[in-house]
Amino acid sequence: MNRILSVVGCSLALFATLPSSAQISLVNPVPHEVKVTDAKCLPLPKAWKVVTTDALSDCAAANALKTNKVGVSVSSSASFTVTLGVKGDKCVAKVKDMIPDRHEGYYLRIDKKGAVIAAADETGLFWGVQTLLASMAEGKLQKAEVTDWPDVPYRGTVEGFYGTPWSHKARLSQIEFYGRHKMNVYIYGPKDDPYHRNQWREPYPQDEAARIQELNEHAKKHGVKFYWAIHPGVDIKWTVEDRDHLMAKLEKMYALGIRAFAVFFDDIWGEGAKADKQADLLNYVDDHFIAVHKDVAPLILCPTEYNRAWADDSKGYLRTLGTKMNKDIHIMWTGNTVVHCIDKESMEWINSRIDRKAYIWWHFPVSDFVRDHILMGPAYGNDLDIADTMSGFVSNPMEHAETSKISLYGIADYTWNMQAYDSQKDWEAGLREVLPKNYEALRTFALYNKDLGQNGHGFRREEGDELLPLAKRIENGEAGALKELQETCTRLDKAVDALLADHSNPELNRELRPWLLQGKNLAAYGYDVACMAVCLKEGSAAVGGKSFQALYDAAKKKTLEMYELENSDVRHALQPGIKVGTKVMLPMLNKLFTATVTAYNTQNGTSLEASADYNPFKLTSDVAQLALLPVSVRGNDVTVAPALEVINWQKDGSFTIEGDRDITFAGMDFNFGVPKVAGNFRLELFTNGAWREVSLLHYSDNDPVIHTGNELGGMTARKLRITNVSGQDLQVYFKHFKFVKQ
């Protein structure tokens, strides 16, 4: 039988012809091939009988049927039968030719008597069950045949961001989400887990080891490979002793039940960054650990040169890995830069150097380098014809695990069936997934939280495009434009109120709260500015019972409240600010405010302040990676957000912080991640019209924190400057910077 003839094309073409109620269209990811045998749906069975082999009776797929959340019970006497089997099992022998010859592939047939799920392997069987369950989400059943498989072998996430690691509860929830949407990999590598990175030689304490065990077991139940990653590069010595430390740690993790491992060497320099040493170590691990334990997944390496911008072909780091390292070891890659979308040309470039298909680590929707934003937009920008050029594709999500699901919903679809991928459709569906009862409000708010703002990586996303025509009409003074702006601000305000009151997803509510409060401020500011413009345009004495002066005062008060909220305790840990609508909405409002106040001053001979933004501190720098870091205030502490990668601080490069008034200093310290570097930098304060140097020192030889001399206390200055005076380019980190004002 020719299966191609029995299937109606690919699902992308098919779904366009299906009625909107088609149950299979509820499935995510989009299946590759679907044949609907009857457009009329069946009622959901009250019970089903599960038929399978003894070997599969307790597998993840069978258990998913038994513990389903669609309201179907399991009964040996039920008339509706679900048959499960993998290729070679007698129970699915009649459909063996329908099973795709692809890893994790499956065939599903649903009719009035029951369902048959036949797969290439147990994981594929689990995915078939997920398709069956997802198709029943609206309480109906579609008679259909589905033939399906993944485009990319390894699909999922890497918890590899800097900042507050996910909670144990959040990780469990993430794993369940991956299983529902056919993502098969979760790489555990949080930068702030000390036993992953800084204390990599040490075993986990008993309670933390137990949590990792639970995560691993939970992953097995949901078709997900739990990869545990170790990061020895910060202080590894290329000795037999340290090699044995690494092997001992891996063995301890194996004893906990872990069966998939990764080794990270990212964001380091110096001794740990040598390609030949890394290759030798990984080969040793591959030969003496992975190969010895027959049940362990292929090893993954995150290299030091993990993007094209950092790759130096003349030194041959990547080519050394490609030629020296065992070919079954995966090598991770972020693209042309640290944060970048992936295209075919860049895949060809990296694959030719590492002599294997790269394993993509996509830095989206991660926000650890723009923590003042929360990213709620769609996942888009990667080529749709590169599935066969990569061995894996994992997303690096935000520390906000629940909000990350909005984008991850689409990433699951993209990696499963690239040609059918529709980022906008998946974005809408992802919003419904995380907050089904308040989808419209969440969608409205998400429109203002897609872009990252200006950042050192230059990675931007579309945001506020639907407002661009309105902004143009306002600029042209068109009738009705200001009223539409008022309505837009009112919609945002109502959406925020609805979300603040919605506790159906408590974790989402907790994560979004700082931005929801700022969104309410933005809506109020925008409404006041629109009313100011109406008042001026119509020559009215008042709008909504408020005079121009009252509206002006209210708008200025809101800008101050936005600043104060940004620097309040409502922020999450390490969050430098709270930004909403920064790409189109806020710039549009600020421009309208300035233009309106300027025109009012001209008409009335007044001198109202026309500047919209309020921020008492400004950072400028000719060190590219520092120039866009935000400055924030908490009480008397003024901090600069950390940079997360190695800083290439050029000779004579500097950064300056300037206040809007004189600052009286009570103290200062900063951490460039390297001991004994205080002498390479000069700190100066601009006081009494001249720069005055302040001494720098370490309290101990091993302490990377740089402190100031006693002369700083009580000094008053408008700005400070730190300069690389070493006479050469330096590589440092920028882990922490703070000064304390009186």
Side-chain angles (χ1 to χ4, degrees), residues 73-276:
S73 62
V74 177
S75 171
S76 59
S77 61
S79 59
F80 193 92
T81 301
V82 181
T83 303
L84 301 178
V86 296
K87 199 159 192 173
D89 291 341
K90 288 183 179 180
C91 60
V92 293
K94 290 182 179 180
V95 296
K96 65 179 182 180
D97 292 335
M98 309 300 289
I99 302 172
D101 189 22
R102 302 281 292 267
H103 182 56
E104 299 185 23
Y106 68 91
Y107 167 77
L108 164 66
R109 186 185 69 213
I110 307 170
D111 57 33
K112 65 180 181 180
K113 293 182 180 180
V116 175
I117 306 173
D121 47 44
E122 283 193 39
T123 304
L125 198 63
F126 184 78
W127 303 146
V129 169
Q130 295 307 308
T131 294
L132 173 65
L133 296 175
S135 74
M136 303 165 72
E138 292 182 350
K140 294 175 287 186
L141 198 60
Q142 187 90 49
K143 287 189 280 187
E145 293 179 71
V146 178
T147 309
D148 204 11
W149 61 89
D151 279 349
V152 181
Y154 295 97
R155 314 162 306 281
T157 67
V158 51
E159 186 186 342
F161 51 80
Y162 291 87
T164 306
W166 285 341
S167 69
H168 187 64
K169 182 179 178 181
R171 289 171 179 144
L172 293 171
S173 176
Q174 285 284 310
I175 288 168
E176 291 176 16
F177 179 88
Y178 305 158
R180 281 199 307 277
H181 300 292
K182 303 184 177 74
M183 292 193 283
N184 64 354
V185 168
Y186 164 53
I187 302 175
Y188 174 93
K191 293 291 193 291
D192 287 15
D193 174 354
Y195 302 99
H196 156 75
R197 187 176 168 97
N198 291 338
Q199 297 166 231
W200 61 270
R201 298 174 183 86
E202 300 175 26
Y204 280 96
Q206 187 173 353
D207 57 344
E208 293 189 43
R211 283 193 287 270
I212 288 177
Q213 276 185 304
E214 184 182 355
L215 291 174
N216 185 54
E217 291 303 313
H218 198 62
K220 290 179 186 177
K221 294 176 182 177
H222 293 275
V224 179
K225 290 185 185 297
F226 179 93
Y227 265 88
W228 182 79
I230 189 168
H231 195 308
V234 174
D235 64 353
I236 192 170
K237 310 294 188 296
W238 300 115
T239 61
V240 171
E241 182 182 13
D242 254 5
R243 184 195 70 191
D244 291 346
H245 279 307
L246 179 65
M247 292 289 285
K249 184 68 169 278
L250 296 178
E251 288 289 359
K252 288 182 182 299
M253 302 310 294
Y254 184 87
L256 294 177
I258 309 301
R259 296 296 183 266
F261 298 88
V263 182
F264 290 176
F265 284 98
D266 57 316
D267 298 343
I268 61 169
W269 74 88
E271 188 67 21
K274 293 180 177 179
D276 57 337

Side-chain angles (χ1 to χ4, degrees), residues 144 148 651 685:
D148 204 11
K651 180 180 68 172
L685 269 59

